[in-house]
Amino acid sequence: MLELVEISKEFRTGFLGKNVKQAVLDATLCVDRGEIVGLIGESGCGKSTLGRIAVKLLMPSSGRIILDGVDVTDMPEKRFREFRRQVQIIFQHPETALDPQYTLLESILESFNKIGIPESEQKDMLLDISEEVNLPLDIIDRHPNQVSGGEIQRAVLTRVFAFEPKYLILDEPTSMLDVSVQAHILQLLKKKAKQDNVGMLFISHDLEVIRAMCDRVAVMKEGRILEEGDTSKMFLSPKSGYMKQLLVNSD
Amino acid sequence: MSQGGLLVVRGLSVAFKTQKGTVQAIDGIDLDLNENETLAIVGESGCGKSVLGHAIMRLLDDIAVVRGSVLFRDKEVYEMETTALLNLRGGLISLVPQSPSSSFNPVIKIGKQIEELIEKAGKEKGIGARKRAVEYLSMAGFSQPEQIYESYPHRLSGGMCERALIAMALSVEPELVIADEPTKGLDALSRKNILGMLHKLAKDASMIMITHDLKAAETCGRIAVMYSGEIVEEGPTGIVLNNPRHVYTKGLIDAQPSRGMKPIKGRHNLFSHNALGCRFKERCDAASSECSNHPLLNIVEDCRKVRCCHA
């Protein structure tokens, strides 16, 4: 289980860091293997910050990150590397997710090399995963600016799935994609979660997507988690006024 | 001779020559837009909807090969002299471009950029232009418009930049607004606010909204669905979305998360215009031998056109 316990994060800006912005405040959330947990809220509510903290791309100001019972919060980077493979993140903007100077294939092979997959096995692995994520092999020699957002997102998934992650943080993975491409990617992620027992934290502001994808949902406002529960209950009988307001706005 | 409508597009085609062959971005588009009418153009990425918006304003690069005619108030846009063209763009027709964050000049304050457009369009000058810029920022929902006026673009979020762009586009009181993906990547509340504000500010203008968001398209009176550079279905929005006649329109509707998230099979091919017959046939479950003939955009009922031999 990936547990985020009483996480707070503040950012200091301005002269000598006098301006304090409290991005996340006492947020507690857990994601179990095979479960998809939605995290919703307006832009700027702190949901992406919490997602980045879960993979230690940002360090929390206070609180603990516990991965399968091991507290990894203050673990040195060298030791944390083996855990980092288990928790991967996918970002919102596909066009900025890959190195623009590399072809899709070079980016994918970079991750294979990082994992230490021998060259003789790389081709078979590429064929396996590209089939799973439906990445057309005739485009992998292209650069990111020569393919569509959906195709980049599939290349990103190929890189990420190679690590065989136990948990995935999905930060608005489909908000920049067309509705039909979005449907392809979402179906793929849902299948992955259930088939390979991958726990997913699905960050989105699109309530329809959250409702279709998630088992549980947490609502965030101004850095705090206001409410959490089963998706169906949250959508049918929300307790917080804020969730009710979000539901009205999404109609 | 007058043909009626504010905008009359006939047989508009745009091709780009690439190393891998010619890409026919749009092909034989016919469109009519009347005064105070709102039209949504929907379709997948690469279907040509943004190229169509830019082609109407004659904004395409020199490498684009454009054929056909665009009449705005009975004047041919592709025969206009530079002065008339500059008067048309940012005066009579305003574009709200995609990618709000990269559409402003990053080193000039937001307000100055709006003011510059107002002055260039000859609407106001000096203090008058400044007042109008602040007024439109206020109408765009900013509670402290003076502060936004003095802000550089990087200080604004995506939603705020979009609102500022809409304020800029509408500050010259255009007759036609072309809004390219105004809700892309925005949260539900921002999307609702942006759409409400866009329709409110453009109440005296006609609007073409280019979008892949069917919920945004619902706010427009008419809808045109594009696939591979062609319009495949067109009609009143409510009727088309409630009772789609083209398999592609049905596919787009069913791909929405609220409708079961069913993906359309296959993928969009940029070169599908080279294939004979219906361009959607490779992805269509209803395809038959009849589909090897290229279908025309036929009128199937009042105000409703569909490009499918099975419709």
Side-chain angles (χ1 to χ4, degrees):
Chain A
M1 184 181 279
L2 172 65
E3 296 166 84
L4 302 168
V5 185
E6 293 173 2
I7 298 282
S8 292
K9 176 70 185 174
E10 53 189 40
F11 291 105
R12 292 180 174 274
T13 56
F15 184 63
L16 296 176
K18 278 184 178 168
N19 301 333
V20 179
K21 157 96 177 146
Q22 192 73 47
V24 181
L25 191 60
D26 276 338
T28 297
L29 192 65
C30 57
V31 183
D32 211 346
R33 299 282 304 271
E35 180 188 42
I36 308 180
V37 179
L39 184 58
I40 53 176
E42 286 171 72
S43 301
C45 72
K47 51 191 194 306
S48 290
T49 303
L50 190 59
R52 280 168 171 72
I53 288 172
V55 283
K56 283 184 63 173
L57 281 179
L58 282 174
M59 286 303 290
S61 306
S62 65
R64 317 304 307 166
I65 308 161
I66 297 166
L67 186 62
D68 291 332
V70 181
D71 189 335
V72 295
T73 324
D74 300 319
M75 194 178 269
E77 182 59 30
K78 216 171 176 180
R79 251 193 85 204
F80 179 66
R81 265 181 217 159
E82 64 180 286
F83 291 94
R84 174 155 280 159
R85 290 184 180 186
Q86 299 172 21
V87 191
Q88 294 287 317
I89 186 165
I90 292 170
F91 296 105
Q92 176 179 14
H93 293 279
E95 67 276 14
T96 56
L98 297 179
D99 189 326
Q101 298 188 64
Y102 284 5
T103 62
L104 301 189
L105 181 63
E106 286 166 342
S107 285
I108 292 167
L109 292 183
E110 186 193 27
S111 74
F112 286 8
N113 289 330
K114 280 254 190 288
I115 303 166
I117 296 162
E119 267 187 40
S120 56
E121 292 172 25
Q122 288 186 353
K123 196 178 170 193
D124 285 342
M125 188 163 189
L126 175 66
L127 289 175
D128 279 354
I129 305 180
S130 58
E131 194 186 331
E132 182 184 3
V133 302
N134 211 358
L135 175 73
L137 290 176
D138 56 326
I139 61 155
I140 56 172
D141 284 328
R142 298 188 195 167
H143 287 88
N145 65 343
Q146 295 169 314
V147 298
S148 70
E151 285 161 346
I152 297 178
Q153 217 54 318
R154 287 179 207 276
V156 169
L157 287 175
T158 308
R159 271 165 64 100
V160 165
F161 286 0
F163 286 90
E164 296 179 351
K166 290 180 180 171
Y167 302 96
L168 269 182
I169 312 297
L170 304 156
D171 191 358
E172 311 258 15
T174 58
S175 69
M176 305 306 278
L177 305 180
D178 291 335
V179 68
S180 58
V181 182
Q182 171 179 271
H184 269 289
I185 303 272
L186 292 179
Q187 294 285 13
L188 179 74
L189 289 169
K190 205 168 181 176
K191 193 171 147 202
K192 183 79 180 170
K194 303 302 163 193
Q195 223 172 45
D196 294 346
N197 210 19
V198 179
M200 296 185 184
L201 179 64
F202 197 107
I203 299 167
S204 179
H205 52 63
D206 189 330
L207 297 196
E208 275 186 16
V209 170
I210 291 283
R211 191 171 193 172
M213 287 290 290
C214 301
D215 305 301
R216 277 193 300 125
V217 182
V219 190
M220 207 164 174
K221 189 189 180 194
E222 291 165 7
R224 292 172 190 271
I225 291 182
L226 296 184
E227 193 181 351
E228 191 197 331
D230 284 348
T231 307
S232 51
K233 275 187 195 161
M234 289 279 286
F235 277 81
L236 289 174
S237 50
K239 289 195 180 79
S240 64
Y242 183 64
M243 180 67 189
K244 287 177 193 163
Q245 192 193 334
L246 286 180
L247 285 170
V248 169
N249 288 329
S250 72
D251 283 340
Chain B
M1 194 181 79
S2 171
Q3 295 207 21
L6 179 75
L7 179 76
V8 179
V9 177
R10 288 290 174 266
L12 187 63
S13 299
V14 177
F16 296 97
K17 288 206 170 90
T18 70
Q19 286 174 340
K20 294 200 170 179
T22 302
V23 173
Q24 192 71 47
I26 56 172
D27 196 3
I29 298 280
D30 291 340
L31 260 188
D32 293 88
L33 193 72
N34 294 319
E35 283 183 33
N36 284 320
E37 197 175 21
T38 51
L39 169 73
I41 298 179
V42 300
E44 286 170 287
S45 296
C47 73
K49 52 194 194 302
S50 290
V51 172
L52 173 60
H54 284 74
I56 288 171
M57 292 184 78
R58 206 174 142 186
L59 274 175
L60 294 168
D61 220 314
D62 288 343
I63 58 159
V65 182
V66 183
R67 274 194 307 237
S69 132
V70 178
L71 291 175
F72 185 78
R73 290 222 174 274
D74 297 330
K75 290 198 181 93
E76 176 56 55
V77 173
Y78 281 83
E79 286 170 6
M80 280 182 184
E81 299 290 328
T82 311
T83 323
L85 195 58
L86 290 178
N87 184 35
L88 178 88
R89 296 180 191 146
L92 299 171
I93 307 181
S94 267
L95 176 74
V96 182
Q98 257 191 76
S99 317
S101 311
S102 55
S103 295
F104 278 112
N105 185 331
V107 294
I108 302 178
K109 289 175 179 172
I110 296 273
K112 276 282 167 211
Q113 297 187 53
I114 302 178
E115 208 178 300
E116 187 187 354
L117 181 69
I118 294 168
E119 288 192 349
K120 282 214 163 145
K123 296 287 174 186
E124 300 272 0
K125 278 197 172 150
I127 295 172
R130 185 192 165 97
K131 270 178 89 177
R132 185 190 270 241
V134 173
E135 183 194 342
Y136 270 84
L137 284 170
S138 166
M139 281 155 71
F142 290 109
S143 53
Q144 291 170 309
E146 289 278 0
Q147 200 182 328
I148 302 297
Y149 182 98
E150 295 292 344
S151 297
Y152 286 97
H154 73 272
R155 299 198 68 98
L156 271 57
S157 70
M160 288 162 92
C161 264
E162 187 68 50
R163 279 194 279 158
L165 266 184
I166 292 172
M168 184 174 184
L170 293 163
S171 63
V172 292
E173 295 170 339
E175 294 183 13
L176 171 63
V177 183
I178 299 177
D180 196 355
E181 300 279 12
T183 59
K184 196 172 186 175
L186 298 180
D187 65 58
L189 183 60
S190 303
R191 178 170 69 176
K192 198 174 179 181
N193 288 342
I194 293 279
L195 289 174
M197 197 264 298
L198 188 56
H199 283 287
K200 189 176 122 197
L201 288 186
K203 67 179 190 303
D204 297 324
S206 301
M207 178 158 56
I208 294 178
M209 189 190 289
I210 296 163
T211 182
H212 67 252
D213 177 354
L214 294 183
K215 284 214 159 175
E218 276 174 19
T219 62
C220 296
R222 246 175 356 114
I223 189 169
V225 182
M226 279 185 75
Y227 184 76
S228 194
E230 292 180 323
I231 292 175
V232 293
E233 185 159 8
E234 190 192 336
T237 309
I239 296 174
V240 170
L241 293 183
N242 286 324
N243 179 24
R245 298 280 290 264
H246 197 286
V247 182
Y248 180 61
T249 316
K250 280 182 202 159
L252 284 181
I253 295 169
D254 290 342
Q256 294 182 101
S258 59
R259 298 289 290 259
M261 234 162 46
K262 291 188 274 294
I264 303 171
K265 75 169 185 183
R267 66 185 166 113
H268 175 240
N269 180 356
L270 278 183
F271 296 95
S272 59
H273 58 272
N274 288 332
L276 294 171
C278 173
R279 293 174 186 179
F280 188 65
K281 68 176 188 288
E282 302 296 330
R283 303 176 70 182
C284 179
D285 288 328
S288 64
S289 55
E290 291 170 77
C291 304
S292 50
N293 296 320
H294 187 242
L296 298 173
L297 189 63
N298 289 323
I299 298 172
V300 289
E301 53 199 74
D302 286 347
C303 317
R304 179 87 176 270
K305 295 175 192 166
V306 184
R307 190 186 292 277
C308 177
C309 59
H310 301 293

